[in-house]
Amino acid sequence: MLLLAPTIRCSWPLFQLSRSRRRFSASWEQAFQEIGSKLKELKEQYGPQTLVWLAHPELISPLEKHFMAAFGSPNYTGHGPTCYSSRNVAFEQMYGGVPGVDYRNVKYYIACGRNLTGGIKNPDVQKIVAARAEGAHLVAVDPRLSDFAFFADEWLPIRPGTDLALVLALINVLINENLYDPAFVAAHTTGMAELKQGVSDYTPAWAAGITGLEAGTISRIARELAAAKPAAAIDPGWHAVTGSQYGNSVMTGRAIAALNALLGNLGAKGGLSLPPAIKFGSPAGIMGPKPPAATAPRWDGAGSAKWPLNKAHGMIQVFPERVQQDQPYPVKAVIIQHLNPVRSSTNSLAFIEALQKLDLVVAIDIQMNDTAYYAHYILPEATYLERYDPLMTVGNKVVLRQPAIKPLFANKGAEEIIAGIGRAAGLGEYFNFTLEQYNDALLAPLGLTQARLAQVGVAEVEAAKPDYSKLKTPSGKIELACSAFVKAGSTLTPVWEPPLVKPKDDSFRLIQGHVPMHTHTTTDNNSYLHAIMPENELWIHTSRASKLGIKTGDLVEVASEAGKIRVKARVTEAIHPEAVFLAHGFGCRVPLRHLAYNRGANGGDLIPIMTAPVSGAAAQCETLVTVRKAG
């Protein structure tokens, strides 16, 4: 291993014997051949479905899925259940896709738990800052005074997990006071009568008793939101309350989708919009014969009769349970690409135990992380500054990511690594193409090639604008009343569902989120960012901390049914008394990451394995903890 500021990177393929910490370098060819040989052996013994591929979906994901299809396994799973899958399930069924917010032109904006100015999408930050400078009114609904709540015009410190009640009450006011857009609703939605009946009891007074917000505030927000329509929006969200945090996240996403529809903002300036469609070519002709369809069900049950709306996202959090169960078939091998589920999923120790039980664990990444630490093989990928990637799109622009420098070491692009494993595993006929040929096939209808695109980096092309008169739903309209949810065991229209757990006098709800200084678990060992924020702290409200005898800087023990951590406390008024907050991305257990090692705490140690209804998301904030001053 080589230690490089600002992080630790692998400069050659590595493998480790058993689970000792003895690591040995190997040539790429040796690593490919040994991995391929083991995959063939396991495939013959257990069937191709024994292999699972876990990934943080990146530009390379089509080639990862191509590998799995060629191998014969249906088991490609992304990180969506720990991020955005509930939101996607809600909007995909109601809108036919997931819309984004026109942040630059919005006039009234509500974020439920989304920490927009503390996130990692810098263009969106610039847009919302510019909108506010021109008079946009921003409302942050969050149990914590997040970066965005501090920046916004209003902070509504809602009781954690009750955003759904707030949104249902806002819908109630819009309908009962005739503040919605009747022309848009008539032309572009179905199910208005059912929605009206469904929210009839959800008054601001009712919501006040659940959320802790004042009824007058709820009514005012609804009226102000309506006055600004259609340049008004409540954010569909990302990882927040509509993403993966609560058992009612899908229902919250459905309510937010309905509220936006009542504002008539889909396709409007300052409202929501679906992305344009660029007509790419098909690379199928260069990627070998069409693989036969996988015959086994998915390893996690996604897309089955129990989870019919979760066909694309999977349920990564149940991986430890499935490995232990060996049902409906054994899972014996995993390839993990650009993902660190030991810290980014739930019940970290259970995930480690699952990895230790497998016959083959392969990690493909740009650096040593907690998951790679338990791999048999670590295949070092070139960083984004050193490699080409498959094409990406931004609106009507096609973008080519290309290397700024040559790889510093013998690292390879992910497409080379995937092809190398594939050929060694007997899938050579599916990998007789280069990334440039793949990109050229996509670009052909646009009259471009990778070589030509490389000269400019970004090219504007023709893109079909979304047809808002014919959405990709059964009715072609926004489905305020959606039978797909009934078939999945839910309700026709959004209804109130309480969170799955409720804190008592001696417990707190654990909430977590990202911070602007770090990106997931990848930057904790970056010397520059580490200097800005070396560790996380447990935010705890002043009143609760006082009763427990805890002061800022004290070391506290936090315990749940899944495990325990020790972390420094931060006593503050900026958190709801029923909750404690822990920033994600800390608590590294890899000694080689010397800056990050044992700094702060990993919230994943506390979060039990849980599966939310309908979406199959991880419901990470349905975790109750106790806090005491460490002895």
Side-chain angles (χ1 to χ4, degrees), residues 6 137 145 152 183 242 270 340 352 390 403 424 471 495 497 513 602:
H137 188 81
L145 186 64
T242 59
N340 188 13
I352 291 171
L471 300 178
V495 300
E497 290 179 346
N602 172 28

Side-chain angles (χ1 to χ4, degrees), residues 2-347:
L2 293 182
L3 174 61
L4 300 173
T7 189
I8 291 177
R9 293 178 52 194
C10 303
S11 59
W12 53 78
L14 301 172
F15 65 89
Q16 62 188 49
L17 297 178
S18 183
R19 294 298 167 178
S20 71
R21 294 293 158 253
R22 294 177 296 158
R23 287 185 171 80
F24 303 85
S25 65
S27 69
W28 278 105
E29 187 60 30
Q30 179 186 349
F32 288 151
Q33 290 303 317
E34 292 183 9
I35 294 169
S37 176
K38 190 65 176 179
L39 285 174
K40 287 190 286 187
E41 174 188 324
L42 294 173
K43 183 177 183 178
E44 182 177 350
Q45 185 174 359
Y46 299 104
Q49 66 272 12
T50 198
L51 172 63
V52 172
W53 192 298
L54 304 179
H56 188 294
E58 302 285 336
L59 298 175
I60 200 67
S61 63
L63 299 188
E64 296 173 319
K65 294 175 182 178
H66 176 62
F67 176 96
M68 292 297 280
F71 194 78
S73 174
N75 295 328
Y76 177 88
T77 303
H79 81 302
T82 60
C83 189
Y84 52 73
S85 62
S86 290
R87 174 206 64 180
N88 283 27
V89 166
F91 276 89
E92 285 163 357
Q93 300 306 315
M94 294 178 67
Y95 279 57
V98 181
V101 179
D102 180 6
Y103 295 112
R104 180 62 184 84
N105 297 297
V106 72
K107 300 302 181 185
Y108 202 100
Y109 170 78
I110 300 176
C112 289
R114 184 161 192 204
N115 188 13
L116 190 62
T117 52
I120 59 176
K121 301 198 72 173
N122 186 264
D124 291 346
V125 175
Q126 295 182 40
K127 291 172 184 176
I128 200 70
V129 169
R132 186 175 186 271
E134 294 180 1
H137 188 81
L138 311 182
V139 180
V141 181
D142 202 310
R144 179 178 73 100
L145 186 64
S146 66
D147 304 85
F148 180 73
F150 183 80
F151 174 75
D153 298 282
E154 291 187 67
W155 171 41
L156 305 183
I158 194 168
R159 177 173 288 121
T162 65
D163 302 74
L164 172 59
L166 168 64
V167 180
L168 290 171
L170 294 174
I171 294 173
N172 176 285
V173 174
L174 291 182
I175 293 176
N176 289 337
E177 298 186 10
N178 293 314
L179 299 176
Y180 64 93
D181 186 331
F184 181 92
V185 168
H188 297 286
T189 75
T190 63
M192 179 60 178
E194 292 89 342
L195 178 66
K196 181 177 180 178
Q197 181 180 0
V199 301
S200 59
D201 294 332
Y202 300 137
T203 64
W206 166 83
I210 294 173
T211 63
L213 305 177
E214 294 182 357
T217 298
I218 297 172
S219 296
R220 173 181 60 80
I221 293 292
R223 293 164 187 153
E224 292 175 352
L225 190 65
K229 68 177 188 299
I234 179 166
D235 203 310
W238 201 278
H239 171 257
V241 297
T242 59
S244 64
Q245 294 187 344
Y246 298 100
N248 63 16
S249 285
V250 165
M251 196 66 78
T252 305
R254 293 176 62 188
I256 287 176
L259 177 58
N260 279 302
L262 296 181
L263 298 173
N265 66 15
L266 185 62
K269 183 178 180 179
L272 302 186
S273 63
L274 293 166
I278 297 174
K279 188 176 181 180
F280 284 115
S282 171
I286 66 167
M287 298 176 74
K290 183 179 180 180
T295 57
R298 281 184 55 95
W299 69 276
D300 53 9
S304 66
K306 187 176 181 180
W307 308 103
L309 304 184
N310 181 3
K311 295 179 180 179
H313 309 299
M315 293 177 284
I316 189 174
Q317 74 277 13
V318 303
F319 184 81
E321 295 177 337
R322 275 290 289 106
V323 169
Q324 297 295 336
Q325 291 167 352
D326 274 354
Q327 295 294 329
Y329 51 77
V331 171
K332 295 295 184 181
V334 65
I335 298 176
I336 305 172
Q337 157 74 6
H338 196 65
L339 187 67
N340 188 13
V342 166
R343 264 201 287 159
S344 62
S345 189
T346 58
N347 200 330

Side-chain angles (χ1 to χ4, degrees), residues 612-625:
V614 182
S615 71
Q620 295 149 305
C621 293
E622 300 284 14
T623 301
L624 297 182
V625 299

